[in-house]
Amino acid sequence: MPDTPSAPLLLGNQPGSFPHSVLAERHPAIIKQVREAFPYEPGQHRALDELLANCTKGEIEPLPADAHDRDHWEIWGLREYTGRSWFDVPWLWSESWFYRSLLQAVGYFGTGPWQGIDPFRPFKLAELDSAELDSAETDEELAALDDLTGRPAAEQAQALLHGSLWGNRADLGFRLSAEGARDADAAPGLVADDSDRLWSLLDTTAPGDGTLCLVADNAGRELVPDLLLIAHLLESGRIGRAVLHVKPYPYYVSDATTADVVDALRRLTGAGGAAATYGRQLWSALADGRLTLRAHPFSSAPLPYEKMPGDLRAEFASATLTIVKGDLNYRRLVGDRLWEPTTSFADVTAYFPGPVAALRTLKSDVITGLDARTEAALVVAEEQRWRTSGTHALIQVRNNR
């Protein structure tokens, strides 16, 4: 990435800043939500109390000697940050450490009866449950697929691309600390739109030969349109194979795991109409290898993708296109820094080993690739709220071939 002292790493130690509010307000709210969602036992309640005190007023503590991922975290910065305030280490790192610590507190990594129980699962399933408001909205979105099937192929593709993009607003972690975000303007437009370049990259290979890597973000109502986009690209022959990267364990409240993919596929296949057809196509694609799930440990690392390991680099290098979904993955793609908004997206992603596209609604301060006129108009209209409100989005593409 460019050596730009004017783009400092984001920390959470400035009161009033967005990172500070996440550490001081969102994380305690998430602990409360998780505590109330499960009939946890006394030991877990004590551990959650300790985490609440530690993450707001304490210091980073080392992992137990027998922690299964201790070596990973020590490589990822734990040795350096142990003993420091959560607010004084890089924000991306402290956020990731919070979710790792939360799983430790509820026994996710232990050997007892709570091993492997996703503490965020009730929130994820609520989006897919037919009795929930969010699910009623999902029903409407899936029913619209029946009308879409009669439209021209290019129109279908663009609609599904935008469905995948705007589905990112379903991020549960964002909504926990953004009361009423669901009622915000549903279509404010894009601050950057490289969709033509995205389609041209997918059209450079022979029909049915290309490989798409899609780095998923959230489960539930975001993952469903991601899967629909993959199904359409496979069915239309624009790609021959897709690799869907999910998290190896629950992360950032709503980030997608393999279990969430299965839940989303069941939701599709049970919906009827075109949605069910897409669901069956994806089910078959998993069975015959045209769709592969990947849960690389680095997907939950507290580091930018610039520091990805060699096997992941090789995988992205061989792909026709890698689509990186969501706000967290965008921060990891460009670096979690307070860039000048006009900083070149191509420059900050030049390290990426293959063509890459970012689909993201804006929920943090990190942004690159805007033209000066767009930035000025946003600031006039909203001051700096446009960076974090979730009411703006972008499609950015860089092709290094």
Side-chain angles (χ1 to χ4, degrees), residues 96 98-104 106 108-109 116-121 124 246-260 300:
S96 298
F98 170 78
Y99 290 102
R100 170 60 181 82
S101 301
L102 181 62
L103 294 181
Q104 179 87 15
V106 298
Y108 182 89
F109 296 120
I117 301 299
D118 183 348
F120 312 124
R121 186 165 173 78
K124 296 173 179 178
V246 297
K247 299 299 189 294
Y249 53 75
Y251 190 61
Y252 276 70
V253 180
S254 52
D255 280 31
T257 65
T258 299
D260 300 317
S300 296

Side-chain angles (χ1 to χ4, degrees), residues 289-302:
R290 288 177 296 130
L291 173 58
T292 303
L293 301 182
R294 188 94 153 89
H296 196 286
F298 192 77
S299 293
S300 296

Side-chain angles (χ1 to χ4, degrees), residues 76-152:
W76 292 342
L78 182 58
R79 287 179 178 173
E80 178 182 356
Y81 298 139
T82 293
R84 295 173 61 179
S85 166
W86 292 60
F87 293 83
D88 292 335
V89 303
W91 180 41
L92 175 63
W93 199 95
S94 57
E95 273 199 290
S96 298
W97 182 245
F98 170 78
Y99 290 102
R100 170 60 181 82
S101 301
L102 181 62
L103 294 181
Q104 179 87 15
V106 298
Y108 182 89
F109 296 120
T111 58
W114 293 92
Q115 181 183 27
I117 301 299
D118 183 348
F120 312 124
R121 186 165 173 78
F123 316 126
K124 296 173 179 178
L125 289 180
E127 291 200 340
L128 300 176
D129 190 318
S130 60
E132 296 288 338
L133 172 61
D134 284 340
S135 180
E137 295 171 358
T138 304
D139 287 337
E140 294 175 5
E141 293 162 1
L142 295 181
L145 292 172
D146 295 334
D147 297 329
L148 189 62
T149 55
R151 304 290 180 86

Side-chain angles (χ1 to χ4, degrees), residues 343-356:
T343 302
S344 167
F345 175 77
D347 286 350
V348 298
T349 58
Y351 71 90
F352 203 84
V356 63

Side-chain angles (χ1 to χ4, degrees), residues 338-339 341 362-365 367 384-389:
L338 192 60
W339 300 104
L362 278 58
K363 302 175 187 174
S364 69
D365 293 305
I367 183 72
Q384 295 299 324
R385 292 187 300 274
W386 61 272
R387 293 175 179 259
T388 59
S389 64

